[in-house]
Amino acid sequence: MAVSIPVAKQQLFDYPRYWAECFGPAPFLPMSREEMDLLGWDSCDVIIVTGDAYVDHPSFGMAIIGRLLEAQGYRVGIISQPDWHSKDDFMKLGKPNLFFGVAAGNMDSMINRYTADRKVRSDDAYTPGGSGGKRPDRASLVYSQRCREAFKDVPVVLGGIEASLRRIAHYDYWQDKVRHSLLIDAKADILLYGNAERAIVEVAHRLSRGEPIQSITDIRGTAFVRRDTPEGWFELDSTRIDRPGKIDKIINPYINTQDTSACAVEQAKGPDQNDDDGVQVVELLPHPRLERDRTVIRLPAFDKVKGDPVLYAHANRVLHLETNPGNARALVQRHGDRDVWFNPPPIPLSTEEMDYVFGLPYARVPHPAYGDQRIPAYEMIRFSVNIMRGCFGGCTFCSITEHEGRIIQNRSHDSIIREIEEIRDRVPGFTGVISDLGGPTANMYRIACKSPEIEAACRKPSCVFPGICENLNTDHSSLISLYRKARDLPGVKKILIASGLRYDLAVESPEYVKELVTHHVGGYLKIAPEHTEEGPLTKMMKPGIGSYDRFKQMFEKFSKEAGKEQYLIPYFIAAHPGTTDEDMMNLALWLKRNGFRADQVQAFYPSPMATATAMYHSGKNPLRKVTYKSDGVSIVKGERQRRLHKAFLRYHDPNNWPLLREALTNMGRADLIGNGKHQLIPAFQPAMSGYQSARRKNSTPAGSKKAGRLLTQHTGLPPRDTGAGKGTGKPGKRKPARRG
């Protein structure tokens, strides 16, 4: 029987409006009682608590959810970056009639607050003025508790990326331990994971009809607490899908493994006993595929995974196998005497629904309460347009798939063009340059499986690893057409592409690469090969460096034909699971041979629930069947080794040479120390290193009005004129910071 991705029972724009729609849309969702009074509201139906500054723009979660609920007829207030030390700030808008919606913000709060070396960041791009310290650690948890203190009988609904990534028992890098599901620690009523438009609208309408929050257990993309598996469900242990334990002999296949006494008899049999000496066949279990929509997979309990890294990796693997909305089953995980139940992932939004969400009446600027204070995250995206959601790349270190899913959700050309026109006509400071048309990946727009039936049945974690799937349609023609329409708009001088490019897809369409290189590169194009060596690349699920070489040839060819001097900016990750010291040495040699000097270095950051994080914690590879005997993964955990891996990426910095000399000597590669072209670092050490990174050279001086913005090639801008040519009659032009 053919299967396909399930269809939503109701489109977002088909719900009957709540009675408060008579108030109409607000210029901004109110953040104070005074604003509520001006709108004529006596109360809010929903109050959203967020760790970010309130920017009324569709790149900010609180704006999308707030405007969507407003369009459904609800009165929505915003409590932004509240003082979490007491309940007072959580009471300033009064008691919400329906629920508190709680989110940490556009980032996991721990990643927002700490570097990959666990050092506190001094800044926060989502805060006015860019200042740090405006949100607590694990903000969703703290905000939920304060909401409960403020109004104990008001339901608390968790959402956002922090909730998505912490919905199950998860490894916490900052405490170096496995923590409970966020739902348990926060004591919230329900958790919405992924892009939660469908779920939040359904929850709001059902609560407004008088349904208790405890009865809402059938919405996709939600997690909630229950005591037992309800009647009518078939419970399947996750170890039957992917057995993690030691296997010494074959157990009678007809034994009911849920019957512990029968299992004990079977296990007690000696290896030479046959199976017909009195062991009774208990029953034949029903085949779970026949009841997939009524099957729940039981993951190892929290008490098991917190002390057993192999079981943790197993649970992570099973969870990732159940992420396709076309075939995913419900999951359940025991926490003490309660179960946390996870319904299957949300159904992707249709193009019409995406247009509806992005066409809501956003003001497109920060709330007036912030005055002239700059919000760096807003400055970065105010002239950019999000054209799609999702990513089927499956990179193990990335959390996009866990949150947005792997099925691409696209907007229509008309919707995107209308947003560009709004930016042109309404956004202050527009100079004619659109800084990005993109999303999680620049060139996955309208790329999907050739067959809906195959897509719905697929359980592969990536459509492009180890190679591009033969069922993937790699046609870039719709994206090319969009680019052409956008740059032909009156008042638009330039359309830049700043989102990361999937170059292994791009090379499948030379016409796309030519279009991109000829018209949409602002001197530099960033791409992310991440590494050159097979060991780490296979653990990342990234293509080999040969794909980068093919794209580079195309890029240089079309740049030359267009008469433009343009450069690729490759990004690499240090200390990723599966990376050895030799791998980093070989990457450094590749960088030197190709004339690259990495300016900004990215070290692996174990984000909650990512597959690579499971590797980091367990030393096992969840991309394959996990057992106690399965091969291990090289893990970089010690501070010294992490510094070494970063130093290899910045081999050109004299400050790193002492560490690299020692490491190369210990590795038996002292032949790479010297002044030859084939050698990595010199034998001499300058008394005083005058090295200053290009990033720092290009940064705005402290104290200036534009402080905090780094004007480097990473913003899509060419390097600053340093004035080096003054007095010589020549312009002060210098080479790009990333090339030797």
Side-chain angles (χ1 to χ4, degrees):
M1 182 174 142
V3 294
S4 60
I5 299 297
V7 177
K9 296 177 182 177
Q10 203 164 7
Q11 301 285 289
L12 290 177
F13 37 72
D14 287 340
Y15 285 83
R17 302 295 183 265
Y18 189 61
W19 69 265
E21 70 166 329
C22 60
F23 288 101
F28 288 87
L29 302 177
M31 294 209 300
S32 66
R33 292 294 305 215
E34 292 75 18
E35 291 175 81
M36 291 170 59
D37 292 340
L38 289 174
L39 293 170
W41 299 2
D42 61 346
S43 61
C44 291
D45 299 308
V46 177
I47 294 176
I48 296 174
V49 181
T50 176
D52 292 341
Y54 170 32
V55 180
D56 200 44
H57 186 284
S59 289
F60 288 75
M62 89 292 287
I64 286 185
I65 296 301
R67 288 298 187 183
L68 177 61
L69 289 172
E70 179 188 62
Q72 301 293 319
Y74 299 102
R75 294 164 295 178
V76 182
I78 302 284
I79 297 178
S80 168
Q81 298 188 318
D83 179 355
W84 67 89
H85 295 96
S86 75
K87 64 182 180 180
D88 295 347
D89 262 8
F90 296 80
M91 303 178 72
K92 64 182 180 182
L93 299 184
K95 181 179 179 179
N97 301 318
L98 297 178
F99 64 88
F100 278 110
V102 173
N106 273 17
M107 294 176 65
D108 181 275
S109 59
M110 298 301 286
I111 295 176
N112 177 279
R113 293 204 64 221
Y114 296 89
T115 69
D117 295 324
R118 297 188 179 98
K119 296 178 181 177
V120 178
R121 299 185 194 272
S122 60
D123 58 354
D124 182 344
Y126 292 90
T127 298
S131 57
K134 296 295 184 181
R135 75 185 80 212
D137 289 357
R138 302 177 182 85
S140 298
L141 190 161
V142 177
Y143 292 161
S144 296
Q145 292 175 344
R146 291 291 179 263
C147 288
R148 191 71 81 199
E149 289 175 22
F151 302 103
K152 64 179 180 180
D153 56 337
V154 174
V156 175
V157 178
L158 285 174
I161 193 164
E162 181 165 280
S164 286
L165 301 187
R166 296 175 181 270
R167 63 185 184 262
I168 68 168
H170 56 278
Y171 173 73
D172 186 89
Y173 172 62
W174 303 272
Q175 290 186 323
D176 192 26
K177 73 175 189 179
V178 176
R179 290 181 60 96
H180 292 110
S181 163
L182 177 63
L183 189 62
I184 295 291
D185 285 344
K187 299 179 175 61
D189 294 285
I190 194 169
L191 181 151
L192 314 185
Y193 69 88
N195 292 126
E197 285 93 348
R198 291 197 195 285
I200 198 71
V201 167
E202 183 72 12
V203 167
H205 281 289
R206 288 169 69 165
L207 288 176
S208 65
R209 292 197 298 264
E211 293 186 36
I213 189 73
Q214 293 78 13
S215 70
I216 301 176
T217 59
D218 60 341
I219 301 176
R220 295 180 69 110
T222 62
F224 48 89
V225 174
R226 62 179 10 153
R227 294 289 178 180
D228 299 295
T229 300
E231 187 176 351
W233 282 81
F234 174 77
E235 188 174 298
L236 177 65
D237 194 278
S238 64
T239 58
R240 292 191 60 194
I241 300 172
D242 197 71
R243 185 180 295 275
K246 180 179 179 181
I247 303 175
D248 290 327
K249 69 184 188 67
I250 298 175
I251 295 177
N252 184 343
Y254 300 104
I255 283 292
N256 177 2
T257 56
Q258 294 172 334
D259 184 335
T260 55
S261 60
C263 278
V265 170
E266 188 68 13
Q267 292 282 10
K269 291 168 59 176
D272 297 326
Q273 287 182 262
N274 57 40
D275 289 329
D276 56 5
D277 57 352
V279 176
Q280 182 181 359
V281 175
V282 179
E283 66 175 296
L284 285 174
L285 295 178
H287 199 294
R289 288 186 182 277
L290 301 179
E291 305 174 7
R292 198 172 192 89
D293 60 344
R294 301 293 291 176
T295 296
V296 60
I297 298 173
R298 181 165 291 280
L299 299 173
F302 168 76
D303 287 339
K304 296 288 187 182
V305 298
K306 75 174 182 180
D308 190 332
V310 174
L311 278 181
Y312 180 91
H314 159 77
N316 182 274
R317 172 174 167 79
V318 172
L319 180 139
H320 282 86
L321 288 173
E322 301 295 331
T323 56
N324 183 346
N327 59 50
R329 291 162 286 191
L331 304 172
V332 66
Q333 186 176 51
R334 198 75 172 169
H335 284 65
D337 61 348
R338 294 171 294 172
D339 282 339
V340 180
W341 185 286
F342 311 92
N343 281 331
I347 297 168
L349 297 185
S350 65
T351 294
E352 293 76 19
E353 289 174 305
M354 285 284 285
D355 290 354
Y356 172 70
V357 167
F358 282 86
L360 295 169
Y362 305 99
R364 305 195 69 83
V365 293
H367 190 280
Y370 303 123
D372 295 332
Q373 295 182 88
R374 296 163 62 88
I375 300 172
Y378 168 69
E379 298 295 327
M380 185 184 301
I381 56 85
R382 64 175 174 159
F383 302 131
S384 69
V385 179
N386 194 326
I387 65 175
M388 45 75 73
R389 283 183 185 165
C391 179
F392 49 71
C395 299
T396 60
F397 53 82
C398 180
S399 302
I400 292 172
T401 301
E402 283 91 343
H403 184 59
E404 296 193 359
R406 66 177 187 174
I407 295 175
I408 306 302
Q409 302 164 73
N410 309 282
R411 296 172 62 185
S412 69
H413 284 195
D414 289 345
S415 171
I416 295 165
I417 295 300
R418 280 196 300 272
E419 184 169 350
I420 295 173
E421 291 173 335
E422 279 199 16
I423 292 173
R424 177 194 65 192
D425 300 337
R426 294 177 51 199
V427 177
F430 182 64
T431 61
V433 178
I434 296 295
S435 60
D436 188 27
L437 286 184
T441 304
N443 61 318
M444 285 188 182
Y445 181 74
R446 296 210 175 280
I447 292 181
C449 191
K450 297 174 182 177
S451 164
E453 291 76 23
I454 293 175
E455 180 179 66
C458 182
R459 291 165 67 79
K460 290 176 61 179
S462 172
C463 299
V464 288
F465 182 85
I468 296 175
C469 178
E470 61 182 8
N471 296 308
L472 187 68
N473 175 15
T474 59
D475 182 11
H476 284 63
S477 59
S478 183
L479 188 55
I480 293 169
S481 174
L482 174 63
Y483 287 176
R484 290 171 179 170
K485 289 179 184 177
R487 67 173 183 262
D488 285 344
L489 285 174
V492 174
K493 300 175 184 177
K494 184 80 173 177
I495 302 283
L496 294 172
I497 305 303
S499 296
L501 187 79
R502 191 77 196 199
Y503 53 87
D504 51 345
L505 276 178
V507 297
E508 298 294 310
S509 175
E511 183 186 5
Y512 171 74
V513 179
K514 183 174 183 179
E515 191 80 14
L516 175 77
V517 170
T518 304
H519 301 286
H520 302 287
V521 176
Y524 299 89
L525 181 70
K526 60 183 181 183
I527 58 175
E530 308 298 6
H531 218 285
T532 58
E533 305 306 295
E534 182 180 0
L537 286 174
T538 56
K539 306 307 181 295
M540 297 175 183
M541 289 209 301
K542 292 287 288 187
I545 200 66
S547 294
Y548 166 83
D549 293 334
R550 289 192 294 275
F551 180 78
K552 182 173 182 288
Q553 290 173 0
M554 283 188 181
F555 181 88
E556 292 175 346
K557 174 179 179 290
F558 293 131
S559 291
K560 185 176 180 180
E561 289 178 3
K564 295 184 175 183
E565 186 178 356
Q566 300 180 145
Y567 302 93
L568 288 177
I569 305 297
Y571 281 67
F572 298 94
I573 294 180
H576 190 278
T579 309
T580 63
D581 296 351
E582 288 74 15
D583 290 330
M584 293 306 301
M585 176 190 72
N586 290 332
L587 172 54
L589 291 169
W590 184 92
L591 288 170
K592 185 170 185 180
R593 282 197 306 271
N594 287 273
F596 284 112
R597 293 188 171 189
D599 183 21
Q600 292 172 292
V601 174
Q602 181 182 4
F604 170 65
Y605 204 149
S607 60
M609 215 172 85
T611 299
T613 302
M615 295 181 195
Y616 177 88
H617 173 56
S618 69
K620 297 291 185 179
N621 182 6
L623 297 176
R624 299 179 178 178
K625 183 177 179 179
V626 177
T627 73
Y628 293 102
K629 291 184 176 181
S630 58
D631 292 339
V633 176
S634 301
I635 304 299
V636 183
K637 285 194 174 182
E639 181 181 349
R640 180 177 177 82
Q641 193 180 18
R642 284 176 68 87
R643 285 196 298 112
L644 173 62
H645 283 211
K646 288 191 287 185
F648 271 120
L649 277 182
R650 292 177 53 77
Y651 67 90
H652 52 283
D653 183 351
N655 294 318
N656 290 326
W657 292 348
L659 180 61
L660 290 174
R661 286 194 201 97
E662 180 184 354
L664 289 172
T665 301
N666 292 338
M667 293 163 65
R669 293 306 308 269
D671 58 300
L672 295 177
I673 303 171
N675 299 323
K677 288 185 178 181
H678 67 286
Q679 292 172 311
L680 189 62
I681 56 172
F684 72 92
Q685 181 68 32
M688 287 288 292
S689 170
Y691 179 82
Q692 185 181 24
S693 72
R695 180 174 185 265
R696 185 54 53 200
K697 287 179 183 177
N698 283 330
S699 63
T700 308
S704 73
K705 291 184 178 180
K706 294 184 179 180
R709 185 176 182 201
L710 300 175
L711 299 179
T712 73
Q713 65 269 33
H714 297 280
T715 66
L717 299 174
R720 281 183 171 184
D721 187 333
T722 62
K726 290 182 180 179
T728 65
K730 298 180 181 179
K733 184 178 180 182
R734 62 177 173 83
K735 292 181 179 179
R738 276 233 175 183
R739 295 182 67 89

